[in-house]
Amino acid sequence: MINRLSVATIWVKDQNEALRFYTEKMGFEIRADFTNGDFRWLTIGLKEQPDLEFQLAGIKLSHALNQEDVNHLTHLVEAGQLGIGPWKTDDCQKTYETLKAKGVEFIQPPTDRPYGIIEAIFKDNSGNIMVLSQDKPR
Amino acid sequence: MTFYKPIQQARRVLDQQYHTPLTIEDLSREVALSPYYLIRVFKRTYKQTPHQYLVQRRIAKAKELLRTTDLPITEICLAVGFESLGSFSALFRKLAGISPSAYRSCVQTHPDPKPAYIPLCVCVSHGIEDHLDR
């Protein structure tokens, strides 16, 4: 039976810009980076989670995407409809301050939720909206 | 995709001699085609010119050396066929998105790296029949 997920996709408007954002601001590491013609398989991951990686999938005209697909995906990403997460942290406030100091755009600061978590909301540099989440001690 | 043998041979030459100062004239002589015809058919076959392929091959090798060795960046630059650190760094940044030193500092290193792997579903959806690192 299936027992785990190994790769998830983050759609991005520009792979180079996204790589800079996720490595320089968010602290991810590069896992795989291969180019074949105009296709680049680029994945990143968290040091603390070695068995899961994220494909930074560039939205551009290709064998897989026609102009209509590109326009549609770009619209959805810019509207924040395709973000993934939540990303977990042990200290939402501290991580928020660290990322904010690096220039990450937050659309909501850490907020105490009644269902046992503290969460903040940020955007990556493509427009993906993502949640930063901390479980509160019970 | 139908491969024309001299074009496949040209790609093999680029794969084997990427670290040398290879020119389009050298490559044309190796495969007995005119430079103009070689560029045209190579691009039609592989969606990039021989020069673009050569640069990509060199940068791919540089990434591998950054990931797997402690060689100074200047040595990597020369080892993959560039003659100037400035042009190597500029091309690396243009293609990879970050500088060689930044790449080295954030690339995951393995004592025993896994073979390069692009999931088959991605190869199929992108029409990739073979790739450089498989």
Side-chain angles (χ1 to χ4, degrees):
Chain A
M1 292 298 286
I2 294 170
N3 57 23
R4 65 185 185 279
L5 178 70
S6 62
V7 182
T9 296
I10 301 174
W11 287 101
V12 297
K13 294 198 293 185
D14 181 291
Q15 284 181 307
N16 283 348
E17 295 286 339
L19 182 63
R20 282 195 283 277
F21 176 85
Y22 281 98
T23 56
E24 293 171 4
K25 294 187 192 299
M26 302 296 290
F28 283 67
E29 60 183 12
I30 299 168
R31 294 284 177 77
D33 186 5
F34 314 122
T35 300
N36 182 306
D38 62 357
F39 174 75
R40 184 180 184 191
W41 173 251
L42 177 62
T43 74
I44 55 170
L46 293 162
K47 289 183 177 67
E48 296 82 356
Q49 198 171 23
D51 63 347
L52 178 60
E53 53 197 291
F54 303 92
Q55 178 201 3
L56 296 179
I59 302 171
K60 62 178 187 177
L61 276 177
S62 65
H63 187 274
L65 301 177
N66 62 28
Q67 189 60 55
E68 193 180 342
D69 298 329
V70 168
N71 294 346
H72 195 196
L73 274 168
T74 301
H75 173 74
L76 289 172
V77 165
E78 286 177 342
Q81 297 296 317
L82 297 184
I84 63 171
W87 302 100
K88 302 301 287 188
T89 174
D90 294 331
D91 188 334
C92 193
Q93 182 65 36
K94 189 175 171 189
T95 304
Y96 162 78
E97 286 164 9
T98 302
L99 296 180
K100 198 167 169 54
K102 288 183 176 179
V104 176
E105 180 187 354
F106 277 80
I107 56 179
Q108 183 190 285
T111 305
D112 213 330
R113 300 293 190 197
Y115 35 87
I117 63 168
I118 300 168
E119 63 182 8
I121 302 173
F122 67 94
K123 288 170 83 170
D124 74 4
N125 62 348
S126 290
N128 289 301
I129 292 177
M130 309 208 185
V131 170
L132 181 65
S133 166
Q134 174 193 349
D135 293 332
K136 284 197 294 190
R138 294 186 176 210
Chain B
M1 189 187 297
T2 306
F3 291 100
Y4 178 41
K5 274 192 179 168
I7 300 302
Q8 284 181 302
Q9 189 192 341
R11 190 165 86 156
R12 269 198 300 276
V13 170
L14 292 170
D15 285 340
Q16 290 162 0
Q17 300 181 30
Y18 65 88
H19 55 289
T20 67
L22 201 58
T23 66
I24 190 66
E25 287 76 22
D26 298 331
L27 191 61
S28 300
R29 272 194 297 278
E30 289 264 4
V31 300
L33 294 175
S34 77
Y36 174 77
Y37 185 72
L38 171 60
I39 291 169
R40 192 158 59 89
V41 181
F42 193 100
K43 185 165 185 184
R44 195 172 65 208
T45 306
Y46 296 117
K47 310 286 186 284
Q48 57 192 157
T49 65
H51 179 71
Q52 288 167 332
Y53 182 83
L54 177 63
V55 169
Q56 183 181 301
R57 191 74 185 80
R58 286 173 171 171
I59 297 296
K61 185 64 183 177
K63 287 177 185 173
E64 180 193 320
L65 293 174
L66 288 167
R67 179 191 286 261
T68 58
T69 74
D70 294 326
L71 284 172
I73 288 168
T74 309
E75 278 188 41
I76 291 177
C77 157
L78 298 173
V80 301
F82 288 97
E83 291 172 353
S84 140
L85 184 58
S87 60
F88 167 66
S89 296
L91 276 167
F92 191 97
R93 192 174 172 84
K94 182 180 171 193
L95 294 179
I98 53 181
S99 69
S101 57
Y103 196 92
R104 171 173 265 163
S105 71
C106 69
V107 72
Q108 186 189 43
T109 52
H110 291 279
D112 180 22
K114 285 189 297 185
Y117 165 68
I118 298 175
L120 185 60
C121 56
V122 175
C123 293
V124 170
S125 70
H126 286 270
I128 300 169
E129 294 185 22
D130 64 336
H131 69 78
L132 287 177
D133 307 275
R134 190 181 286 281

